[in-house]
Amino acid sequence: MEAINRFGELFLEVWKEGVFGLNASEIIIGIVIFLIFYVLRRLFARFIISRLNKIVNKTTTKIDNTVVEVIEGPLKFLPVVLGFFIATSYINLSTEVQGFIDLLNRTLITVFIFWLLHQLVIPFSFIIRNFEDKISKPLVNWTLKGLEIIIIVLGIVAVLELWGIKVGPVIAGLGLFGVAVALGAQDLFKNLISGIMILMEKRFTIGDVILVSNEVEGVVEQIGFRSTLVRRFDSTPVMIPNYKFAEQSVTNYSRRHHRRIGCVIGLEYKTSINQLKKIRDAICLLITDKNDFAKNENSGFFVRIDSFSDSSIDMLVQAFTVTNDWSEFLKVKEELAVSIIEIVEANNAGFAFPSQSLYVEKYPNEKSEIFRLDIFQHRVIEKYPNEKSEIFNPKNTK
């Protein structure tokens, strides 16, 4: 019985003095207060957000809706901060412990503030993206990413300052370390500076078709800090270091105003001058009437008899399409080719093919026979006078 009384006295003594001089009842009540706020954090956030949504839905802008969406995380963290502050305020703490708890409260509040600022970068991006016409889209993305990094770094510095860690000497030490690293990472900084110059000068943007001399030709998919991803037309990705764009010439096909169609039509030598003129004029009229072709001072079209080849009279056709899209360009080019075939056939003319004429002396004092040898290895014998030509295989001749 005496042992039980001593245990009861010891239990009451521990309950009153608690741990580290703290009353156990105060500790339990403080923990309960904190747990209540922790459990109710989701309900608190949903209640606040629902109220804010009713307000922002009445407006026509999307920025305020985005603000409400991104602050959900910090709002869930706010009851935790508030619950910890109220719980620790209820407990009577010693001076030393109270100083440590105050640092924890300041730290939680600092984390909440910088977390909120970090989330607000997303709606702020709507304002920054209004300048995409003046500066490139990748540069805007870099700016927003850099702003997020700056907020995170400032938050870490603020927390370290609260706990008495001086950031100045640390930065100075990192500066010396950075000099040593910079000497061994010159290519990294060279690529970084080149990437910034690419974005500032707008040499190309994501989606452009470019040709880098002696490197690659394809579509730009990503512009990074160190390298740029260009996907070739066979779907192979190629990573190009950014400094290459400063040392090599870059052709941006997406910046051209028009695409050029250039072809040579080979007509038979038996085509008359009148037929040639009609074909030329019909092609000119076709290009003039169609809106698919550009017609201005810098992008004219030409349809002219160009040269006399070995087997054909060559007519040059050159025009520029209004569209710069590859698929549309192929469609216009195909329609032009089909129309030219119809025009040539409508004028009873034909397309020439490579051929040779051989003059063979059969007997003395007799007329020569002309053998025409084409690429199909058939000879065409033109007999005199005014007889039909015969076609036979040279393997059957003696």
Side-chain angles (χ1 to χ4, degrees):
M1 192 65 180
E2 184 179 355
I4 296 176
N5 292 332
R6 288 181 181 180
F7 177 77
E9 293 175 358
L10 181 61
F11 182 82
L12 292 175
E13 183 180 352
V14 173
W15 181 267
K16 292 179 181 180
E17 294 181 359
V19 183
F20 301 108
L22 301 178
N23 190 290
S25 61
E26 292 180 354
I27 295 176
I28 295 174
I29 294 174
I31 293 175
V32 171
I33 293 173
F34 177 76
L35 290 177
I36 291 174
F37 277 89
Y38 182 79
V39 172
L40 296 179
R41 74 188 191 281
R42 294 183 180 275
L43 296 177
F44 173 80
R46 290 178 181 176
F47 175 77
I48 298 297
I49 290 175
S50 62
R51 294 292 182 180
L52 292 176
N53 281 328
K54 292 180 180 179
I55 297 174
V56 300
N57 287 334
K58 298 178 181 179
T59 62
T60 57
T61 61
K62 296 182 179 180
I63 298 178
D64 48 7
N65 298 87
T66 307
V67 171
V68 175
E69 292 177 2
V70 300
I71 65 174
E72 183 177 357
L75 284 180
K76 290 180 180 179
F77 184 67
L78 180 59
V80 177
V81 178
L82 186 60
F84 186 81
F85 175 77
I86 295 176
T88 53
S89 299
Y90 179 80
I91 303 173
N92 293 322
L93 304 171
S94 62
T95 305
E96 296 180 356
V97 177
Q98 186 64 45
F100 177 77
I101 295 300
D102 288 342
L103 285 176
L104 286 178
N105 282 315
R106 290 177 182 271
T107 301
L108 293 176
I109 294 173
T110 303
V111 171
F112 169 75
I113 293 174
F114 279 94
W115 188 4
L116 183 62
L117 292 175
H118 178 271
Q119 293 299 103
L120 290 178
V121 172
I122 298 176
F124 179 72
S125 64
F126 285 95
I127 301 175
I128 297 295
R129 294 188 187 281
N130 292 329
F131 297 94
E132 285 187 358
D133 296 336
K134 299 181 180 179
I135 58 178
S136 62
K137 182 177 180 180
L139 185 58
V140 172
N141 295 333
W142 280 23
T143 302
L144 296 174
K145 193 67 177 178
L147 186 59
E148 292 179 355
I149 294 174
I150 290 174
I151 293 175
I152 294 174
V153 171
L154 290 178
I156 295 174
V157 170
V159 172
L160 292 176
E161 288 287 345
L162 286 175
W163 291 90
I165 301 175
K166 300 298 180 182
V167 182
V170 176
I171 294 176
L174 291 176
L176 296 176
F177 178 75
V179 172
V181 173
L183 294 176
Q186 295 181 8
D187 291 341
L188 177 62
F189 290 101
K190 183 166 61 173
N191 289 325
L192 177 61
I193 294 173
S194 299
I196 294 174
M197 294 304 298
I198 290 172
L199 298 177
M200 294 294 293
E201 296 178 1
K202 291 186 177 181
R203 299 178 187 176
F204 51 82
T205 58
I206 296 175
D208 286 354
V209 179
I210 64 172
L211 169 64
V212 185
S213 300
N214 303 321
E215 293 294 338
V216 69
E217 180 180 12
V219 182
V220 179
E221 285 196 356
Q222 182 181 356
I223 303 175
F225 288 98
R226 182 180 178 274
S227 61
T228 297
L229 174 61
V230 178
R231 189 172 295 276
R232 299 193 308 188
F233 297 118
D234 61 356
S235 75
T236 303
V238 181
M239 301 298 296
I240 305 296
N242 286 335
Y243 78 90
K244 289 285 188 180
F245 298 104
E247 298 178 353
Q248 305 289 343
S249 61
V250 179
T251 304
N252 192 335
Y253 292 113
S254 298
R255 298 287 177 86
R256 57 188 171 188
H257 300 290
H258 311 289
R259 285 182 178 268
R260 184 175 68 90
I261 296 177
C263 62
V264 176
I265 304 172
L267 300 173
E268 295 175 337
Y269 266 102
K270 66 180 182 180
T271 307
S272 65
I273 296 177
N274 189 34
Q275 287 176 314
L276 289 173
K277 290 182 178 180
K278 287 183 177 180
I279 293 172
R280 179 200 62 193
D281 295 339
I283 297 175
C284 287
L285 182 62
L286 170 68
I287 298 175
T288 303
D289 292 342
K290 293 196 69 173
N291 296 325
D292 294 327
F293 299 99
K295 305 172 212 38
N296 51 54
E297 297 179 356
N298 299 323
S299 305
F301 67 91
F302 303 94
V303 182
R304 289 289 183 267
I305 298 174
D306 183 57
S307 61
F308 298 95
S309 298
D310 295 335
S311 306
S312 62
I313 301 175
D314 295 335
M315 181 176 293
L316 173 65
V317 178
Q318 179 173 298
F320 293 88
T321 61
V322 174
T323 180
N324 193 24
D325 182 71
W326 174 247
S327 60
E328 290 294 329
F329 166 76
L330 292 179
K331 180 180 178 182
V332 174
K333 186 178 180 180
E334 180 187 60
E335 292 176 353
L336 177 62
V338 172
S339 299
I340 290 175
I341 294 174
E342 293 174 349
I343 290 172
V344 172
E345 292 178 350
N347 286 275
N348 298 321
F351 295 97
F353 54 85
S355 61
Q356 269 185 337
S357 295
L358 300 178
Y359 295 85
V360 181
E361 297 286 346
K362 290 186 68 177
Y363 299 102
N365 302 324
E366 292 186 8
K367 292 183 178 180
S368 299
E369 292 185 355
I370 300 176
F371 295 83
R372 175 165 294 168
L373 181 63
D374 61 25
I375 59 175
F376 300 104
Q377 297 298 322
H378 290 88
R379 290 179 183 173
V380 180
I381 302 177
E382 296 183 0
K383 292 189 173 182
Y384 297 94
N386 299 325
E387 293 185 4
K388 292 183 178 180
S389 300
E390 295 181 358
I391 300 176
F392 62 95
N393 194 309
K395 294 182 179 179
N396 299 328
T397 60
K398 296 182 179 180

